[in-house]
């Protein structure tokens, strides 16, 4: 790589922000950082891979794919933690979701997010992860769950089942793909789109995924269930 090209890459990394603010599901008040799905999801199951919303729709657009790939490259840099912390402070971030797309792909990367959380005690962090199924990442998640400002959700489904051991502070989110599934002992239920028209009397159902028209007006910012 030539000196000019290297300089351009360094400048892009410094100018382009890592954190985006809001989307249709999150609302306008929540920031997020995302990665390419599947390839950064070592704890994925056949169920979540086949149902993954990040493999369709706007995630197939080239600008979105390019940004996710760029984010992945940045997440491996030594200055990633420092840069995220700086953005959190300069943008006045109140709530930050790690990974609307993608997951904690290694112990080293998970430890970076742990460091970010510890450095920003006034910010509410939350994430959904199947990386609890990876032996060397699970202890880092347990440490995150002990932080007062962090909400850690273990994502599970019919393939993964309920983990044998659930650290204190961790909550369970279940992905339902079949009408006959009866998940138990979960804190939150997500359903694939074809099941969302069916009414179910469960308080754990994500309010955004209900069958009523009011569900369209619910987002993560005004619901607060995931991060409070």
């Amino acid at each position: 790589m030539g000196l000019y090209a290297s300089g351009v890459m360094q400048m892009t990394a410094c100018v382009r922000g890592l954190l985006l603010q809001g989307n249709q599901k999150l609302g306008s008040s929540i920031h997020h950082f995302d990665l390419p799905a599947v390839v950064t999801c070592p704890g994925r199951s056949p169920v979540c891979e086949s149902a993954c919303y990040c493999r369709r729709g706007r995630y197939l657009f080239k600008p979105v794919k390019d940004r996710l790939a760029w984010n992945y490259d940045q997440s491996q840099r030594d200055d990633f933690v420092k840069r995220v912390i700086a953005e959190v402070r300069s943008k006045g971030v109140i709530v930050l979701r790690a990974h609307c797309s993608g997951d904690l792909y290694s112990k080293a990367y998970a430890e970076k997010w742990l460091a970010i959380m510890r450095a920003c005690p006034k910010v509410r962090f939350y994430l959904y992860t199947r990386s609890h199924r990876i032996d060397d990442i699970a202890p880092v998640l347990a440490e995150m769950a002990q932080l007062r400002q962090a909400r850690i959700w273990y994502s599970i489904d019919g393939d993964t089942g309920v983990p044998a051991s659930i650290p204190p502070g961790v909550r369970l989110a279940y992905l339902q793909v079949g009408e006959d599934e009866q998940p138990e002992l979960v804190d939150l239920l997500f359903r694939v789109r074809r099941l969302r028209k069916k009414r179910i009397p469960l308080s754990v159902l994500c309010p955004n995924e209900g069958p009523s028209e009011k569900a369209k007006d619910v987002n993560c910012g005004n619901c607060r269930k995931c991060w409070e």
Side-chain angles (χ1 to χ4, degrees):
M1 179 183 296
L3 181 61
Y4 174 77
S6 177
V8 169
M9 290 186 65
Q10 291 291 334
M11 183 178 297
T12 301
C14 292
V15 174
R16 188 178 192 180
L18 293 165
L19 307 179
L20 295 181
Q21 182 175 359
N23 61 33
Q24 185 176 3
K25 177 70 179 291
L26 296 182
S28 61
S29 61
I30 297 178
H31 288 75
H32 56 104
F33 176 79
D34 309 306
L35 295 172
V38 181
V39 294
T40 63
C41 303
R44 67 186 183 277
S45 69
V47 163
C48 74
E49 185 170 350
S50 63
C52 182
Y53 62 84
C54 300
R55 301 180 66 192
R56 53 184 64 90
R58 68 182 185 86
Y59 288 96
L60 299 180
F61 297 158
K62 187 177 186 303
V64 176
K65 294 171 69 174
D66 288 347
R67 179 176 180 84
L68 295 178
W70 181 82
N71 280 358
Y72 176 68
D73 290 341
Q74 303 311 303
S75 74
Q76 298 179 78
R77 289 171 53 119
D78 293 338
D79 62 354
F80 177 75
V81 171
K82 180 180 179 180
R83 288 164 58 202
V84 172
I85 293 171
E87 276 195 49
V88 166
R89 293 171 177 169
S90 66
K91 293 181 177 179
V93 174
I94 298 174
V95 183
L96 174 54
R97 174 173 175 175
H99 313 133
C100 294
S101 171
D103 205 343
L104 299 166
Y105 56 80
S106 69
K107 177 184 177 182
Y109 176 58
E111 288 175 336
K112 290 182 179 181
W113 275 105
L114 178 60
I116 293 168
M117 293 174 183
R118 285 175 170 164
C120 304
K122 295 184 179 180
V123 177
R124 182 57 56 89
F125 294 86
Y126 73 105
L127 60 83
Y128 294 89
T129 179
R130 280 182 172 77
S131 293
H132 60 86
R133 305 175 72 199
I134 307 303
D135 290 343
D136 64 345
I137 299 179
V140 184
L141 293 172
E143 289 189 64
M144 290 180 181
Q146 293 305 299
L147 300 177
R148 293 182 60 183
Q149 80 277 23
R151 296 292 178 264
I152 307 305
W153 293 84
Y154 279 10
S155 295
I156 61 175
D157 54 52
D159 284 338
T160 67
V162 177
S165 177
I166 304 173
V170 167
R171 304 177 186 184
L172 298 181
Y174 189 93
L175 173 61
Q176 182 184 15
V177 297
E179 292 189 30
D180 58 342
E181 292 182 52
Q182 299 293 328
E184 297 180 357
L185 303 177
V186 299
D187 301 288
L188 192 59
L189 177 69
F190 293 102
R191 301 188 292 178
V192 292
R193 190 169 298 277
R194 61 185 171 79
L195 298 180
R196 294 180 188 176
K197 292 183 179 180
K198 183 178 180 181
R199 294 182 181 275
I200 55 175
L202 288 177
S203 61
V204 296
L205 177 65
C206 172
N208 182 256
E209 297 188 357
S212 70
E213 286 298 316
K214 292 183 179 180
K216 297 179 181 179
D217 298 325
V218 178
N219 58 57
C220 298
N222 60 36
C223 173
R224 307 167 77 95
K225 187 179 183 71
C226 294
W227 50 270
E228 276 201 340

